[in-house]
Every structure is written in structure tokens, then in C-alpha cells.
Amino acid sequence: MTLFEWLAQVCRELGWGVMRAHDMLDDTRWSDMYEQGLTPAQAAARARSDGIA
């Protein structure tokens, strides 16, 4: 799965429109979570707990 596909799934987990994934590409917090191997659901949960979602 590419980073963009992963971000699209994170958006779905957060209840955001999939097109918001474009805006997330420049934020290294997301790419860091992707590189750490988090699932989209885990990334969404972390984003909520960290207050970025």
C-alpha cells in the first residue's frame, strides 16, 4: 500500500473526506506513522489521542 492509499484509509477511519489525504502528505507526523508500520486504524487512534484529529 502506498502512503497516499494509507492516508486515504486514515481519512476514512477519521470520518474525513478522502481528498483531505492530499493535505496530509506534507505533514511528517503522518508519514512517520506510516513508516513505523501503524495500520490506518492505529494512526487514527494516535491522531485522536495526540489531538491532531
Side-chain angles (χ1 to χ4, degrees):
M1 174 182 323
T2 67
L3 173 60
F4 188 76
E5 292 168 332
W6 182 87
L7 287 170
Q9 288 191 13
V10 172
C11 286
R12 286 187 201 103
E13 290 286 336
L14 292 170
W16 296 347
V18 174
M19 294 307 291
R20 188 161 176 184
H22 287 282
D23 299 330
M24 297 162 72
L25 285 170
D26 293 330
D27 188 338
T28 58
R29 292 176 291 191
W30 297 109
S31 59
D32 289 346
M33 287 189 265
Y34 173 76
E35 290 173 8
Q36 292 168 6
L38 272 67
T39 66
Q42 291 169 326
R46 183 180 292 179
R48 286 184 184 110
S49 71
D50 289 352
I52 61 172

